[in-house]
Amino acid sequence: MQYLIANWKANKNLEEIHDWFETFLTLLEQDEKVTHALESQEIHIIICPSFPFLLTVKELTKNTGLSVGAQDISVKAPGKYTGEVPAVLISNIAEYTIIGHSERRSYFGETEEIIKEKIALATSNDITSISCLRNSEDIVPQNATIIAYEPVSAIGSGQNEEPALVMEMKRRLNLGTEQSFLYGGSVTRDNISAYAQTGEISGYLVGTASLDATHFFELARAIL
Ligand code: PGA
């Protein structure tokens, strides 16, 4: 089983989201292989828009086999926290959430402690965490089932990390059999097969290449 996750980051307004889905769903309708893989859950395709559009994406993915994910959740429970989005408020909308992305760690001061609390909040609200690690020093949170290794040098740089180095990281993490190891960092249609060929990677967290519906669809095709 493979995960293919679109992390749109702070991109895409309502109109752009509608355009993206028009293209993506047209390609999906015409492609038996990807349609079948979604139905049989051989692949999980998760779309992570920014918060205001979670519900829109939920509606656009209805009956398509695609899933919805948030890019983050608040470390707070509901209450007087202006601007925050606690897990419980989106638990009927998002099935997944990214937690501890390196951009959250470096621009928003997210610590291991905060990440741990967010994962606990996601779990208690039936949201599956996609836990991001930048290197082997970052702690693999307890109970994390989906771990995405994203080396900072590879994120958004066009410099994807060599599959051999990604494999080395996987070995170092020594994950349990119930944990899925994903790679993220400049994944494109030109390099995704090299990772898939290792047979050791359970999916991909994709930023830049997910912004283009056709490119993202090609990634799904390439790993099936
Ligand atoms: P990228 O982003 O594909 O643009 O490198 C990946 C990520 O940050 O999740």
Side-chain angles (χ1 to χ4, degrees), residues 5-7 9 98 101-103 132 150-151 154-159 183-188 205-211:
I5 304 166
N7 176 11
K9 309 190 180 183
I98 298 169
H101 190 281
S102 73
E103 287 152 13
C132 300
E150 297 206 303
I155 295 178
S157 63
Q159 306 291 318
Y183 170 71
S186 298
V187 171
T188 66
L205 182 49
V206 186
T208 312
S210 74
L211 295 173

Side-chain angles (χ1 to χ4, degrees), residues 72-75 98-120 131-134 137-142:
D72 185 31
I73 51 165
S74 177
V75 70
I98 298 169
I99 302 276
H101 190 281
S102 73
E103 287 152 13
R104 302 281 336 153
R105 295 179 193 246
S106 52
Y107 304 139
F108 303 97
E110 218 155 271
T111 59
E112 301 282 9
E113 193 51 41
I114 292 172
I115 290 165
K116 206 170 90 187
E117 285 176 38
K118 286 187 174 186
I119 290 179
S131 308
C132 300
L133 302 181
R134 300 164 298 180
E137 259 123 71
D138 285 345
I139 293 162
V140 180
Q142 242 187 347

Side-chain angles (χ1 to χ4, degrees), residues 31-211:
D31 195 299
E32 266 180 43
K33 199 168 156 196
V34 181
T35 302
H36 181 259
L38 278 169
E39 279 166 9
S40 62
Q41 306 209 338
E42 189 187 330
I43 190 167
H44 284 289
I45 300 180
I46 305 163
I47 314 298
C48 304
S50 53
F51 281 124
F53 305 115
L54 279 174
L55 194 55
T56 306
V57 170
K58 171 103 174 157
E59 280 160 9
L60 288 166
T61 53
K62 211 168 164 183
N63 302 322
T64 62
L66 307 179
S67 308
V68 185
Q71 296 175 15
D72 185 31
I73 51 165
S74 177
V75 70
K76 300 289 189 191
K80 296 173 188 132
Y81 304 110
T82 303
E84 288 297 285
V85 183
V88 68
L89 300 191
I90 56 163
S91 62
N92 291 335
I93 308 172
E95 230 180 296
Y96 297 89
T97 183
I98 298 169
I99 302 276
H101 190 281
S102 73
E103 287 152 13
R104 302 281 336 153
R105 295 179 193 246
S106 52
Y107 304 139
F108 303 97
E110 218 155 271
T111 59
E112 301 282 9
E113 193 51 41
I114 292 172
I115 290 165
K116 206 170 90 187
E117 285 176 38
K118 286 187 174 186
I119 290 179
L121 281 166
T123 308
S124 61
N125 286 287
D126 285 330
I127 300 174
T128 303
S129 297
I130 299 153
S131 308
C132 300
L133 302 181
R134 300 164 298 180
N135 50 49
S136 54
E137 259 123 71
D138 285 345
I139 293 162
V140 180
Q142 242 187 347
N143 304 329
T145 52
I146 306 178
I147 289 104
Y149 169 47
E150 297 206 303
V152 174
S153 62
I155 295 178
S157 63
Q159 306 291 318
N160 60 301
E161 187 158 284
E162 289 300 318
L165 293 176
V166 175
M167 291 297 89
E168 203 176 301
M169 176 66 178
K170 187 186 175 192
R171 270 191 294 279
R172 231 179 283 156
L173 289 175
N174 197 20
L175 302 175
T177 47
E178 73 293 350
Q179 292 176 305
S180 301
F181 176 80
L182 278 51
Y183 170 71
S186 298
V187 171
T188 66
R189 61 186 146 213
D190 297 325
N191 60 38
I192 197 166
S193 301
Y195 298 100
Q197 275 158 17
T198 65
E200 295 267 347
I201 297 177
S202 301
Y204 307 88
L205 182 49
V206 186
T208 312
S210 74
L211 295 173

